[in-house]
Amino acid sequence: MAHPSQLGFQDAASPVMEELLHFHDHTLMIVFLISTLVLYIIVAMVSTKLTNKYVLDSQEIEIVWTVLPAVILILIALPSLRILYLMDEINDPHLTIKAMGHQWYWSYEYTDYEDLGFDSYMIPTQDLSPGQFRLLEADHRMVVPMESPIRVLVSAEDVLHSWAVPALGIKMDAVPGRLNQTAFITSRPGVYYGQCSEICGANHSFMPIVVEAVPLEHFENWSSLMLEES
């Protein structure tokens, strides 16, 4: 998860987020190179009194500064389109979970099971245990098996919400009357935190998302226990 004074992204916990981090570094390097070139040209033009007539009127340099930006945009667009298609790819999910946004909590329904669902509320500050995170802990976590494709159906019951988990590279709007879907695969076991990312009212800041990725055997034990309790 994020920590104080962090400048970069959270560590990737899914293959899609790893691709997003690589694309970010690729694009940022291009931005640095362009910024350096522009800064050098500005300093050179301001600090010298000499003028080259071929710079003022030259067909060749106009071709260069027209073609070069087009090539740079292509170098950015191609990997970007590839990641967009990867993010929309949903192949044979092992588990489907419906996440429903409410004011101001989330409810989860495991649609592959007959009766497995629960509401997830934020744990108040006064009830936190040592080591738990303020405004990020929920009384019920969304438990998923690691290294398995998970499909999440996202909707809302009242107003606009947004189901977002940065470490997994997921952000999907929850719209009343509409069912959006996204998918992810967790690369390793862990607990991943997110929050509603669409302003949804007075308690918008108090509806966290907690995804816990566990080995398949532990997930089966957890689901059996939840079914017994329900």
Side-chain angles (χ1 to χ4, degrees):
M1 63 173 295
H3 57 78
S5 303
Q6 179 174 330
L7 295 178
F9 290 100
Q10 299 182 27
D11 291 338
S14 71
V16 168
M17 190 58 191
E18 290 178 7
E19 293 288 341
L20 289 171
L21 289 179
H22 293 155
F23 175 69
H24 170 266
D25 296 341
H26 164 75
T27 309
L28 198 61
M29 185 56 64
I30 294 176
V31 171
F32 280 149
L33 292 174
I34 294 174
S35 302
T36 304
L37 177 62
V38 171
L39 181 61
Y40 169 76
I41 293 174
I42 291 174
V43 172
M45 296 294 289
V46 170
S47 61
T48 182
K49 296 181 180 180
L50 300 176
T51 302
N52 190 328
K53 66 177 182 178
Y54 295 110
V55 175
L56 298 178
D57 185 15
S58 173
Q59 190 70 32
E60 289 77 12
I61 196 169
E62 289 187 9
I63 293 174
V64 169
W65 71 38
T66 301
V67 172
L68 190 60
V71 172
I72 292 173
L73 289 176
I74 291 172
L75 291 176
I76 295 175
L78 290 180
S80 174
L81 289 172
R82 173 177 169 270
I83 295 176
L84 280 175
Y85 280 103
L86 282 175
M87 293 175 72
D88 281 339
E89 196 75 26
I90 300 177
N91 288 325
D92 190 24
H94 295 176
L95 183 67
T96 299
I97 303 172
K98 184 168 74 173
M100 186 73 71
H102 308 265
Q103 286 182 311
W104 288 271
Y105 64 95
W106 293 96
S107 61
Y108 299 102
E109 180 182 338
Y110 290 69
T111 58
D112 298 286
Y113 295 83
E114 186 174 347
D115 187 22
L116 179 53
F118 50 84
D119 296 331
S120 179
Y121 291 87
M122 186 195 75
I123 299 178
T125 303
Q126 63 270 18
D127 297 335
L128 289 174
S129 302
Q132 289 186 320
F133 300 104
R134 177 179 168 270
L135 301 183
L136 290 177
E137 295 290 350
D139 57 356
H140 290 92
R141 295 174 172 176
M142 190 183 99
V143 181
V144 298
M146 58 174 285
E147 297 180 340
S148 297
I150 309 297
R151 174 172 55 191
V152 184
L153 305 176
V154 183
S155 186
E157 192 177 53
D158 34 45
V159 299
L160 292 175
H161 299 279
S162 184
W163 200 81
V165 184
L168 300 176
I170 290 179
K171 184 176 186 293
M172 181 58 65
D173 287 343
V175 183
R178 176 169 179 165
L179 202 61
N180 293 328
Q181 73 173 353
T182 184
F184 65 90
I185 301 175
T186 53
S187 306
R188 59 180 184 274
V191 179
Y192 308 107
Y193 295 93
Q195 289 178 301
C196 177
S197 297
E198 187 74 48
I199 296 176
C200 56
N203 292 334
H204 160 66
S205 303
F206 309 119
M207 47 185 303
I209 300 158
V210 186
V211 178
E212 183 176 357
V214 298
L216 180 59
E217 181 182 353
H218 294 182
F219 173 77
E220 291 174 343
N221 294 336
W222 172 83
S223 60
S224 301
L225 184 62
M226 292 292 291
L227 289 170
E228 290 176 2
E229 291 179 355
S230 61

